[in-house]
PDB file of all heavy atoms in Angstrom:
ATOM      1  N   PHE P 159       1.539   4.229   1.639  1.00 96.00           N
ATOM      2  CA  PHE P 159       0.700   5.374   1.287  1.00 96.00           C
ATOM      3  C   PHE P 159      -0.334   4.943   0.256  1.00 96.00           C
ATOM      4  O   PHE P 159      -1.534   5.151   0.420  1.00 96.00           O
ATOM      5  CB  PHE P 159       1.551   6.523   0.742  1.00 96.00           C
ATOM      6  CG  PHE P 159       0.730   7.645   0.168  1.00 96.00           C
ATOM      7  CD1 PHE P 159      -0.137   8.369   0.974  1.00 96.00           C
ATOM      8  CD2 PHE P 159       0.814   7.965  -1.177  1.00 96.00           C
ATOM      9  CE1 PHE P 159      -0.919   9.387   0.449  1.00 96.00           C
ATOM     10  CE2 PHE P 159       0.035   8.979  -1.710  1.00 96.00           C
ATOM     11  CZ  PHE P 159      -0.823   9.688  -0.895  1.00 96.00           C
ATOM     12  N   HIS P 160       0.123   4.314  -0.818  1.00 95.00           N
ATOM     13  CA  HIS P 160      -0.816   3.848  -1.830  1.00 95.00           C
ATOM     14  C   HIS P 160      -0.103   2.865  -2.740  1.00 95.00           C
ATOM     15  O   HIS P 160       0.812   3.221  -3.469  1.00 95.00           O
ATOM     16  CB  HIS P 160      -1.352   5.016  -2.657  1.00 95.00           C
ATOM     17  CG  HIS P 160      -2.588   4.676  -3.428  1.00 95.00           C
ATOM     18  ND1 HIS P 160      -2.555   4.001  -4.618  1.00 95.00           N
ATOM     19  CD2 HIS P 160      -3.890   4.892  -3.164  1.00 95.00           C
ATOM     20  CE1 HIS P 160      -3.789   3.843  -5.068  1.00 95.00           C
ATOM     21  NE2 HIS P 160      -4.612   4.367  -4.199  1.00 95.00           N
ATOM     22  N   ARG P 161      -0.545   1.612  -2.679  1.00 94.00           N
ATOM     23  CA  ARG P 161       0.213   0.591  -3.374  1.00 94.00           C
ATOM     24  C   ARG P 161       0.219   0.790  -4.888  1.00 94.00           C
ATOM     25  O   ARG P 161       1.243   0.646  -5.546  1.00 94.00           O
ATOM     26  CB  ARG P 161      -0.365  -0.785  -3.028  1.00 94.00           C
ATOM     27  CG  ARG P 161       0.529  -1.852  -3.549  1.00 94.00           C
ATOM     28  CD  ARG P 161       0.256  -3.186  -2.960  1.00 94.00           C
ATOM     29  NE  ARG P 161       0.922  -4.148  -3.836  1.00 94.00           N
ATOM     30  CZ  ARG P 161       0.682  -5.434  -3.830  1.00 94.00           C
ATOM     31  NH1 ARG P 161      -0.173  -5.925  -2.995  1.00 94.00           N
ATOM     32  NH2 ARG P 161       1.315  -6.224  -4.665  1.00 94.00           N
ATOM     33  N   LYS P 162      -0.920   1.146  -5.448  1.00 94.00           N
ATOM     34  CA  LYS P 162      -0.971   1.291  -6.898  1.00 94.00           C
ATOM     35  C   LYS P 162      -0.115   2.458  -7.368  1.00 94.00           C
ATOM     36  O   LYS P 162       0.582   2.364  -8.377  1.00 94.00           O
ATOM     37  CB  LYS P 162      -2.414   1.492  -7.346  1.00 94.00           C
ATOM     38  CG  LYS P 162      -2.594   1.375  -8.838  1.00 94.00           C
ATOM     39  CD  LYS P 162      -4.037   1.601  -9.215  1.00 94.00           C
ATOM     40  CE  LYS P 162      -4.532   0.509 -10.129  1.00 94.00           C
ATOM     41  NZ  LYS P 162      -5.964   0.670 -10.434  1.00 94.00           N
ATOM     42  N   LEU P 163      -0.143   3.562  -6.610  1.00 96.00           N
ATOM     43  CA  LEU P 163       0.694   4.702  -6.995  1.00 96.00           C
ATOM     44  C   LEU P 163       2.172   4.357  -6.855  1.00 96.00           C
ATOM     45  O   LEU P 163       2.994   4.814  -7.665  1.00 96.00           O
ATOM     46  CB  LEU P 163       0.357   5.924  -6.136  1.00 96.00           C
ATOM     47  CG  LEU P 163      -0.895   6.696  -6.543  1.00 96.00           C
ATOM     48  CD1 LEU P 163      -1.143   7.866  -5.610  1.00 96.00           C
ATOM     49  CD2 LEU P 163      -0.803   7.187  -7.984  1.00 96.00           C
ATOM     50  N   ALA P 164       2.521   3.555  -5.856  1.00 96.00           N
ATOM     51  CA  ALA P 164       3.914   3.132  -5.717  1.00 96.00           C
ATOM     52  C   ALA P 164       4.324   2.293  -6.920  1.00 96.00           C
ATOM     53  O   ALA P 164       5.386   2.495  -7.519  1.00 96.00           O
ATOM     54  CB  ALA P 164       4.110   2.347  -4.426  1.00 96.00           C
ATOM     55  N   GLU P 165       3.456   1.377  -7.308  1.00 96.00           N
ATOM     56  CA  GLU P 165       3.721   0.550  -8.492  1.00 96.00           C
ATOM     57  C   GLU P 165       3.850   1.447  -9.727  1.00 96.00           C
ATOM     58  O   GLU P 165       4.737   1.258 -10.551  1.00 96.00           O
ATOM     59  CB  GLU P 165       2.574  -0.459  -8.676  1.00 96.00           C
ATOM     60  CG  GLU P 165       2.763  -1.478  -9.773  1.00 96.00           C
ATOM     61  CD  GLU P 165       3.751  -2.589  -9.429  1.00 96.00           C
ATOM     62  OE1 GLU P 165       3.784  -3.013  -8.262  1.00 96.00           O
ATOM     63  OE2 GLU P 165       4.497  -3.015 -10.328  1.00 96.00           O
ATOM     64  N   ALA P 166       2.972   2.446  -9.826  1.00 96.00           N
ATOM     65  CA  ALA P 166       3.004   3.350 -10.972  1.00 96.00           C
ATOM     66  C   ALA P 166       4.283   4.178 -11.008  1.00 96.00           C
ATOM     67  O   ALA P 166       4.704   4.622 -12.059  1.00 96.00           O
ATOM     68  CB  ALA P 166       1.783   4.276 -10.950  1.00 96.00           C
ATOM     69  N   ALA P 167       4.919   4.386  -9.842  1.00 95.00           N
ATOM     70  CA  ALA P 167       6.157   5.165  -9.816  1.00 95.00           C
ATOM     71  C   ALA P 167       7.375   4.270 -10.036  1.00 95.00           C
ATOM     72  O   ALA P 167       8.505   4.738  -9.927  1.00 95.00           O
ATOM     73  CB  ALA P 167       6.270   5.926  -8.495  1.00 95.00           C
ATOM     74  N   GLY P 168       7.159   2.994 -10.323  1.00 94.00           N
ATOM     75  CA  GLY P 168       8.279   2.122 -10.673  1.00 94.00           C
ATOM     76  C   GLY P 168       8.773   1.227  -9.546  1.00 94.00           C
ATOM     77  O   GLY P 168       9.809   0.593  -9.664  1.00 94.00           O
ATOM     78  N   VAL P 169       8.021   1.158  -8.434  1.00 95.00           N
ATOM     79  CA  VAL P 169       8.419   0.262  -7.337  1.00 95.00           C
ATOM     80  C   VAL P 169       7.807  -1.119  -7.600  1.00 95.00           C
ATOM     81  O   VAL P 169       6.657  -1.215  -8.000  1.00 95.00           O
ATOM     82  CB  VAL P 169       7.898   0.794  -5.977  1.00 95.00           C
ATOM     83  CG1 VAL P 169       8.276  -0.147  -4.839  1.00 95.00           C
ATOM     84  CG2 VAL P 169       8.417   2.186  -5.719  1.00 95.00           C
ATOM     85  N   ASN P 170       8.608  -2.176  -7.375  1.00 94.00           N
ATOM     86  CA  ASN P 170       8.057  -3.515  -7.503  1.00 94.00           C
ATOM     87  C   ASN P 170       7.340  -3.874  -6.206  1.00 94.00           C
ATOM     88  O   ASN P 170       7.924  -4.418  -5.276  1.00 94.00           O
ATOM     89  CB  ASN P 170       9.181  -4.512  -7.792  1.00 94.00           C
ATOM     90  CG  ASN P 170       8.644  -5.896  -8.120  1.00 94.00           C
ATOM     91  OD1 ASN P 170       7.486  -6.204  -7.852  1.00 94.00           O
ATOM     92  ND2 ASN P 170       9.491  -6.719  -8.701  1.00 94.00           N
TER      93      ASN P 170
END
Side-chain angles (χ1 to χ4, degrees):
Chain P
F159 171 63
H160 197 280
R161 189 165 164 196
K162 192 181 229 176
L163 281 179
E165 186 75 36
V169 179
N170 188 344

